[in-house]
């Protein structure tokens, strides 16, 4: 039997807590990237709330966002070489192994196309349901001319750049835009513009 001392913790409870702590430390040691990422998200949330509460100036916002901008540029710089290198390496390995590379390529294109179309449809549905920005003006002339976060936008110019040929139906235009990206007119331009779908 176990002898209990007044004010002490039972041995079974201590062992279970020790096991949980050991598992937690082992998980943190094996998943360092995940732990650091979650820690960075929490730290960024705390810093963002603290800075936003103090009404930061444009200089402060730019300086705080500069490390994140550099990180995003590095990630974008690595995306295309990694994808192209992985595809070339995978195709070469398939050819040496005698696999049917044509069937795999067809399956890959179908999978990529279906997932991309699903993402477009989901985005359109969510935008129509949530309608972000409704009731708010993002034009500096009508909102607040002294607020540096408000910038005037030429809506017509933006729409012309976003959609090559409009049919009047935004959903149809978005779907056609996906297929246009699948067949780029210039493969070098597609790579420069990070059109991953066209490169693949």
């Amino acid at each position: 039997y176990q002898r209990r001392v007044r004010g002490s913790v039972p041995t079974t409870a201590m062992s279970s807590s020790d096991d949980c702590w050991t598992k937690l430390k082992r998980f943190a040691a094996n998943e360092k990237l995940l732990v650091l990422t979650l820690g960075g998200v929490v730290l960024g949330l705390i810093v963002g709330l603290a800075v936003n509460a103090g009404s930061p100036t444009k200089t402060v916002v730019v300086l705080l966002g500069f490390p994140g901008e550099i990180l995003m540029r590095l990630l974008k710089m690595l995306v295309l070489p990694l994808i192209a290198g992985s595809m070339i390496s995978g195709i070469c390995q398939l050819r040496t192994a005698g696999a049917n590379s044509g069937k795999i390529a067809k399956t890959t294109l179908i999978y990529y196309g279906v997932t991309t179309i699903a993402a477009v449809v989901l985005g359109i549905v969510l935008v129509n349901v949530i309608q972000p920005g409704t009731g708010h003006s993002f034009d500096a002339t009508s909102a607040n001319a002294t607020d540096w976060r408000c910038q005037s936008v030429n809506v017509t110019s933006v729409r012309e750049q976003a959609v090559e040929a409009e049919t009047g139906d935004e959903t149809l235009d978005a779907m056609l835009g996906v297929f246009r990206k699948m067949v780029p007119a210039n493969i070098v331009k597609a790579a420069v513009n990070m059109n991953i779908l066209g490169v693949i």
Side-chain angles (χ1 to χ4, degrees):
Y1 66 96
Q2 295 180 352
R3 179 180 295 178
R4 291 193 177 186
V5 182
R6 187 175 182 181
S8 64
V9 181
T11 308
T12 54
M14 293 180 61
S15 61
S16 61
S17 62
D18 291 341
D19 291 340
C20 292
W21 182 246
T22 304
K23 292 180 181 179
L24 184 60
K25 290 194 296 184
R26 187 182 300 113
F27 175 80
N30 295 333
E31 302 291 342
K32 292 182 180 179
L33 181 60
L34 176 60
V35 173
L36 292 175
T37 302
L38 294 178
V41 170
V42 174
L43 181 62
L45 180 62
I46 294 174
V47 173
L49 292 175
V51 172
N52 191 35
S55 299
T57 61
K58 182 177 181 180
T59 304
V60 174
V61 173
V62 171
L63 291 177
L64 288 176
F66 182 72
E69 181 183 356
I70 296 299
L71 176 62
M72 293 304 299
R73 286 175 175 269
L74 289 173
L75 293 177
K76 290 180 179 180
M77 179 182 65
L78 293 175
V79 165
L80 190 60
L82 284 177
I83 291 179
S86 300
M87 290 185 61
I88 294 173
S89 175
I91 291 174
C92 292
Q93 292 179 2
L94 290 174
R95 289 176 64 87
T96 56
N100 189 354
S101 57
K103 182 179 180 181
I104 296 176
K106 182 173 66 175
T107 304
T108 303
L109 289 175
I110 293 175
Y111 175 78
Y112 202 97
V114 170
T115 53
T116 304
I117 293 173
V120 171
V121 172
L122 179 61
I124 293 173
V125 171
L126 291 178
V127 166
N128 290 326
V129 171
I130 301 175
Q131 296 184 355
T134 301
H136 298 277
S137 176
F138 297 97
D139 193 347
T141 58
S142 59
N144 186 1
T146 61
D147 193 348
W148 57 268
R149 290 170 294 184
C150 296
Q151 298 179 358
S152 57
V153 176
N154 189 339
V155 179
T156 304
S157 176
V158 172
R159 287 179 61 87
E160 289 178 354
Q161 294 177 5
V163 181
E164 294 183 7
E166 294 183 351
T167 62
D169 188 347
E170 294 183 357
T171 304
L172 180 59
D173 289 334
M175 300 293 291
L176 294 177
V178 173
F179 289 102
R180 290 193 189 98
K181 289 185 177 181
M182 288 183 180
V183 188
N186 189 334
I187 188 63
V188 177
K189 183 179 179 180
V192 172
N193 294 335
M194 296 296 294
N195 181 9
I196 306 299
L197 182 60
V199 173
I200 291 179

